[in-house]
């Protein structure tokens, strides 16, 4: 197994439950992949993922090992899920409480209440058809796709999520509130299918949760399951090549030259990286270098992690700060691939729910800005600090006046790091 992110660890648990002897190979010094944990100055900074919206999937992994998820992990339901703050200072508290949500909608546009109810009926349809009906289909054959075409038609999946929301809701702010979710997984609301409305229904059904101790607690729990199966996770073990013989993978070569042979090789590394750099070109009939170059890639991220010796009690666990533009900013990021001067931000304050992630009386934060990926040509070695300063000025001006005076720990990651 290449990579110890959530996907790699979950696949390792499932293979272990089927009786395979599994070795997970991770190039970093600790497991987690994009869910890596930074521990600095008494603060716990989760590198990437921050929420659990489908706890039953974790429960299933623990059950496969004859254990109870709740014995190892404590999930804390969040209320609200997010606070969405608009550029004019108004905000919407997004939760799973239907009546509370209807009151929030009514504050902005009472004429959209019926449309809100109708949209969630569509979201439920997308959940049933798209999540429950298709999540376990691999779509490796044409017949797989043909079989689900009727369900795609029922979801009107050719429409974008933003256009589908807009067909029910007129208020421009509410259109943002109910269409932004694909951004959480790197999708542009103005181009991805409206099937992603299933996320809205998923959250309402199962909630939004925080794993006490941070996302790293989930990673450590999964590692414990793997070790309990008699299998292993090896860190600082970078894979340099997937070995192929007769069109079949038979093992890997590590960066230090060590050869590990195996019956199955599973890669949870980035897809394009796996094909381009881990599999020699002569074994790639379909995923040629030129095809990979032509592939459309997701956005990237700029993330600033910081800890403060003062607590900011007005900031909830999750806050989304919408900038002055929505459609045009996303066009800059996804289509024009330029680093705009304005931005929308995701501000994460886990210490609002979990004191263990910060020293006593302190707060842990990260603030994330969606940005274009590396094909933009941005020189992040020079652009990173001015961009961080612009974000700091925005936070000072809007929701955290004077916060920089209290910072005791600070570092960033850019698209170059990702």
């Amino acid at each position: 197994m290449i990579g110890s992110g959530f996907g790699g660890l979950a696949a390792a648990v499932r293979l272990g439950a089927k009786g395979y002897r599994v070795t997970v190979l991770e190039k970093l010094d600790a497991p987690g992949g994009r869910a890596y944990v930074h521990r600095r100055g008494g603060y716990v900074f989760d590198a990437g993922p921050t929420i659990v919206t489908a706890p039953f999937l974790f429960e299933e992994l623990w059950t496969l090992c004859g254990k109870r998820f709740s014995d190892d992990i404590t999930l804390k339901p969040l209320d609200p899920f997010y606070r969405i703050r608009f550029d004019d200072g108004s905000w919407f508290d997004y939760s799973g409480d239907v009546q509370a949500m209807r009151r929030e909608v009514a504050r902005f546009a009472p004429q959209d209440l019926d449309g809100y109810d109708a949209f969630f009926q569509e979201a439920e349809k997308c959940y049933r058809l798209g999540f429950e009906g298709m999540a376990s289909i691999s779509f490796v054959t044409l017949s797989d796709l043909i079989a689900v075409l009727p369900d795609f038609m029922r979801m009107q999946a050719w429409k974008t999520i933003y256009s589908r929301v807009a067909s029910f809701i007129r208020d421009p702010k509410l259109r943002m509130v109910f269409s932004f979710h694909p951004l959480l997984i790197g999708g542009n609301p103005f181009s991805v299918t409206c099937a992603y409305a299933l996320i809205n229904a998923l959250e309402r059904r199962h909630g939004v949760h925080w794993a006490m101790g941070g996302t790293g607690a989930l990673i450590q729990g999964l590692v414990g399951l793997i070790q309990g199966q008699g299998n292993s996770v090896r860190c600082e073990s970078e894979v340099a090549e997937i070995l192929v013989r007769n069109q079949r993978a038979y093992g890997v070569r590590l960066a230090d030259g060590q050869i590990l042979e195996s019956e199955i090789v599973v890669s949870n590394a980035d897809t394009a990286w796996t094909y381009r750099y881990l599999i020699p070109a002569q074994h790639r009939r379909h995923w040629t270098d030129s095809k990979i170059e032509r592939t459309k890639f997701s956005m990237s991220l700029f993330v600033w992690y910081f800890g403060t010796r003062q607590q900011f009690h007005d900031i909830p666990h999750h806050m989304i700060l919408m900038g002055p533009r929505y459609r045009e900013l996303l066009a800059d990021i996804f289509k024009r691939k330029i680093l705009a001067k304005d931005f929308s931000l995701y501000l994460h304050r886990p210490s609002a729910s979990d004191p263990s992630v910060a020293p006593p009386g302190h707060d842990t934060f990260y603030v994330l800005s969606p940005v274009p990926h590396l094909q933009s040509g941005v020189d992040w070695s020079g652009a990173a600090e001015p961009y961080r300063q612009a974000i700091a000025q925005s936070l000072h001006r809007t929701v955290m006046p004077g916060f920089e005076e209290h910072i005791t720990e600070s570092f960033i990651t850019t698209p170059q790091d990702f």
Side-chain angles (χ1 to χ4, degrees), residues 38-51:
H38 301 281
R39 300 179 189 275
R40 302 192 183 190
Y43 300 95
V44 179
F45 298 102
D46 284 331
T50 61
I51 62 174

Side-chain angles (χ1 to χ4, degrees), residues 22-45:
V22 183
T23 300
V24 181
L25 302 169
E26 170 57 55
K27 69 179 180 180
L28 299 178
D29 62 352
R34 289 191 174 92
Y36 186 86
V37 177
H38 301 281
R39 300 179 189 275
R40 302 192 183 190
Y43 300 95
V44 179
F45 298 102

